[in-house]
Amino acid sequence: MADLINTLQNQIDRLEQQISLANEQQYQEPYFDEQLFQTNNIVTDKAFYLAKIKQTYQALMANIKSEKVEQITFLSDTLVNQIAALTRELATHNLRRKDLKIIFEETLAQKHMRHLDYLRRLQEMKYELELSPDVINQSKIAALDNRIYRCEQAINKIELEMENDGNLAE
């Protein structure tokens, strides 16, 4: 039992170190299930959750001393779930960076090729739909025609931009 308690304390200490190293970021939704940490507020401070874990740990220690088996079982499960949740959050917090914007830069030629590929796939979808042995669904064909038209318009616009860029380079 003492080994398990030491293991729990070590995990809590490691979480505390990870939290001190983690960058704090603002989010608009709670990290965890409200019942797991007994809060329904949007709390972005990971130290808040660490404090909740420490409270659960202290309550567990008090119940171990008073030998309340049901409370020990409940608090043990809660503590393990809290630690697991915070550990997962710390492992993935970099993936949720709100302010990190992936800048997708492509040349006009790449954009043109991408749109040509879209157009080809849309035309293939329409062709397959028209050749299918099932009842021809005119609304799907009309929707594809609309998408093809918009794609062709976008291609024309890109080609115009490419021409203008070519004229400026000369």
Side-chain angles (χ1 to χ4, degrees):
M1 183 72 145
D3 288 340
L4 292 174
I5 292 171
N6 286 336
T7 302
L8 286 173
Q9 184 62 51
N10 290 338
Q11 282 187 317
I12 292 170
D13 291 342
R14 270 187 263 136
L15 282 173
E16 190 168 22
Q17 290 172 353
Q18 288 176 339
I19 287 171
S20 66
L21 297 175
N23 294 332
E24 291 301 321
Q25 294 155 26
Q26 299 297 315
Y27 301 104
Q28 298 301 314
E29 53 194 50
Y31 284 136
F32 309 109
D33 179 26
E34 296 171 357
Q35 293 177 346
L36 183 59
F37 288 95
Q38 296 94 33
T39 184
N40 58 0
N41 296 330
I42 297 174
V43 180
T44 59
D45 183 13
K46 292 175 190 77
F48 169 82
Y49 296 104
L50 180 62
K52 288 287 192 177
I53 288 172
K54 287 180 178 181
Q55 286 175 1
T56 305
Y57 178 77
Q58 293 304 321
L60 176 63
M61 292 300 105
N63 282 290
I64 287 174
K65 288 178 185 172
S66 61
E67 299 178 5
K68 296 180 181 177
V69 177
E70 288 182 20
Q71 281 296 96
I72 292 170
T73 304
F74 172 77
L75 289 171
S76 297
D77 288 342
T78 301
L79 185 60
V80 168
N81 290 333
Q82 287 176 335
I83 290 172
L86 190 56
T87 302
R88 280 191 309 271
E89 171 57 33
L90 289 170
T92 61
H93 79 278
N94 286 333
L95 300 176
R96 274 193 294 282
R97 281 198 164 150
K98 183 179 164 187
D99 57 345
L100 180 65
K101 293 181 182 173
I102 299 173
I103 299 173
F104 183 76
E105 291 185 30
E106 61 183 350
T107 64
L108 282 175
Q110 290 170 328
K111 189 175 182 180
H112 185 253
M113 291 302 295
R114 185 168 46 91
H115 278 74
L116 286 174
D117 186 49
Y118 291 158
L119 179 61
R120 179 190 56 77
R121 287 189 284 165
L122 287 170
Q123 289 170 337
E124 284 177 4
M125 288 169 58
K126 180 182 176 187
Y127 181 72
E128 288 173 10
L129 191 61
E130 289 174 336
L131 292 180
S132 72
D134 300 334
V135 177
I136 296 177
N137 188 338
Q138 293 300 324
S139 63
K140 285 184 180 179
I141 292 175
L144 281 172
D145 282 336
N146 188 22
R147 290 175 67 190
I148 289 170
Y149 174 78
R150 289 194 323 257
C151 193
E152 288 171 340
Q153 294 300 312
I155 290 169
N156 290 338
K157 184 178 175 185
I158 293 168
E159 288 172 349
L160 186 61
E161 285 180 52
M162 290 171 67
E163 263 184 44
N164 289 338
D165 281 355
N167 291 338
L168 292 175
E170 293 174 359

